[in-house]
Amino acid sequence: MHDLQELLDNNARWAASITQQDPEFFAKLARQQSPEYLWIGCSDARVPANEIVGMLPGDLFVHRNVANVVLHTDLNCLSVIQYAVDVLKVKHILVTGHYGCGGVRAAMQDRQLGLIDGWLRTLRDLYYVHRHTLARLPSEEEQVDRLCELNVIQQVSNVAHTSIVQNAWHRGQALSIHGCIYGIKDGRWKSLDTNISSIEQLPAQYRLRPLE
């Protein structure tokens, strides 16, 4: 038997089910990609973007990495944001973390994991900034979960600080960035009430003038 036979069989059943519901679904999907949302989330296998928010393929443009980090040196993430904003004209960027994130937990510890230690360095910095507030929480799990929230809030800011997003606002393009978090224990996705939809919401030192 082929190593991937179970997955191939699952795919065949899934495709047949979708086609039964909407015979034109895949034909329409093949013609155009026009999502209104960009999802920036964690690579964790327990956090499937489309399923969480009840959307079908084509509804979400997705970027995932360990601990849903947005770095200004990460050309992969920035390229996804640029394509989503400039080409697809998405209206919403959903930065979504999740409680109990392993990457966040690792950034709070002194154990070496390898190459990923460099990737998580900004999370370690964030933990250091908030260490006294987090230490007042009664359990390690609560500390991890709160840092997961703080990480989302920071990444929302990082997205808004990019020239990609700010140039869209300068053009008058409708674009909002939202901070959200997912609970693996209960399956609930919620807003952290962290939303940025204009350059006026940014601190002055992060605002970029329009290109001349």
Side-chain angles (χ1 to χ4, degrees):
M1 178 179 288
H2 195 288
D3 289 344
L4 301 181
Q5 193 59 52
E6 181 179 358
L7 301 184
L8 293 169
D9 292 342
N10 289 345
N11 170 256
R13 285 190 292 270
W14 172 79
S17 174
I18 294 291
T19 302
Q20 185 175 21
Q21 296 173 41
D22 181 359
E24 296 298 314
F25 178 81
F26 290 109
K28 290 183 291 188
L29 198 64
R31 285 195 292 269
Q32 186 177 6
Q33 177 180 218
S34 56
E36 293 191 4
Y37 304 92
L38 166 61
W39 173 289
I40 299 177
C42 183
S43 299
D44 194 303
R46 300 168 295 176
V47 189
N50 286 70
E51 288 88 339
I52 286 173
V53 290
M55 289 187 168
L56 290 169
D59 293 333
L60 285 181
F61 196 58
V62 178
H63 175 78
R64 296 171 68 174
N65 62 50
V66 175
N68 44 273
V69 174
V70 178
L71 300 177
H72 295 295
T73 54
D74 180 9
L75 295 182
N76 184 352
C77 182
L78 294 179
S79 295
V80 171
I81 295 173
Q82 188 269 323
Y83 187 81
V85 171
D86 292 352
V87 180
L88 297 177
K89 307 293 184 185
V90 298
K91 294 181 174 63
H92 304 276
I93 298 177
L94 311 174
V95 180
T96 298
H98 67 94
Y99 291 123
C101 179
V104 171
R105 189 185 302 275
M108 299 173 67
Q109 301 171 345
D110 59 5
R111 186 162 55 99
Q112 288 194 47
L113 296 174
L115 182 64
I116 196 172
D117 294 325
W119 176 258
L120 296 176
R121 173 57 190 272
T122 57
L123 271 181
R124 192 175 297 277
D125 294 340
L126 187 67
Y127 174 50
Y128 181 77
V129 169
H130 295 281
R131 66 194 184 283
H132 297 306
T133 302
L134 293 169
R136 290 197 288 268
L137 295 174
S139 71
E140 179 184 336
E141 287 305 310
E142 289 173 282
Q143 293 174 23
V144 170
D145 285 350
R146 179 53 182 158
L147 188 56
C148 289
E149 294 177 341
L150 292 170
N151 178 43
V152 169
I153 293 168
Q154 180 61 55
Q155 305 315 320
V156 167
S157 293
N158 287 352
V159 173
H161 295 166
T162 64
S163 59
I164 301 163
V165 167
Q166 293 190 35
N167 284 333
W169 286 331
H170 287 316
R171 293 192 299 267
Q173 188 171 331
L175 179 63
S176 298
I177 310 159
H178 311 272
C180 307
I181 198 154
Y182 174 69
I184 291 175
K185 293 180 180 179
D186 61 9
R188 300 302 297 271
W189 181 71
K190 69 177 185 179
S191 169
L192 291 175
D193 295 321
T194 301
N195 307 292
I196 303 177
S197 56
S198 72
I199 199 168
E200 287 74 25
Q201 292 178 255
L202 304 182
Q205 66 267 32
Y206 292 108
R207 298 180 191 176
L208 303 173
R209 286 184 295 176
L211 288 170
E212 297 178 358

